[in-house]
Amino acid sequence: MSTGALGNVVTCGATYTEILPVHECFRSIQGEGHYQGKAAFFIRLAGCDVGCHWCDVKESWTVDASGYWSVQYLAEQAAASGAQIAVITGGEPLLYDLTFLTAQLKSRGLKTHLETSGSSPLSGEWDWICLSPKKFKPPLPTIFTQANELKMIIFNKSDFLWAEENAAKVTVSCKRFLQPEWSREKKMLAEIVHYIKDHPQWELSLQIHKYLGLP
Ligand code: SF4
């Protein structure tokens, strides 16, 4: 489902949080982390100020003036998809106040899951927060204790130390995942498996949607 297919609904007089810039929405399975394999409706918001050089969704960085959608319409689309989980991702979704979006999703019975770098202030009401810190713009200190899941992207060996530095800031109950950066998967996967054997507090996350050719 593309932006064009869903249309663009902006209500005259709406406040900023009643409309959001959307890059794309689609129904798929969660390919990463604790909810890997679960069906979900994904809302990929547009805009990111983090700038990871290996980002695989660079096309989501730009906010298209024609891509603002009504939050109520977004929530209706999520509910109509039949999914039980709405995953809000980006881009960096916390560039925006997500209070109204999560309220609208919850009022329709959906669980709200967030995928964020944590580099902007947390807003919204969440059933699950996946924090994926990036060196290029590290998380704000307050989000660490809110995270249900810590997902560290491993691009090279120095990222294991970066992963441990972040893991020291989350709660004991927070799930810890190491995930190879997709373009480096063949090079780093064996290193990650070896690391997890020696550090069993970590789990392996693979982007299984990419192996399956899913969005
Ligand atoms: Fe890409 Fe996410 Fe990094 Fe933004 S935070 S540049 S969307 S990987």
Side-chain angles (χ1 to χ4, degrees), residues 6-19:
L6 282 180
N8 179 35
V9 180
V10 178
T11 306
C12 183
T15 64
Y16 186 67
T17 54
E18 290 174 330
I19 58 171

Side-chain angles (χ1 to χ4, degrees), residues 48-52 54-58 60-61 90-92 117 134:
C48 185
D49 62 352
V50 179
C52 308
W54 41 256
C55 178
D56 59 357
V57 285
K58 286 187 171 129
S60 73
W61 291 3
E92 174 41 69
S117 70
K134 306 297 189 307

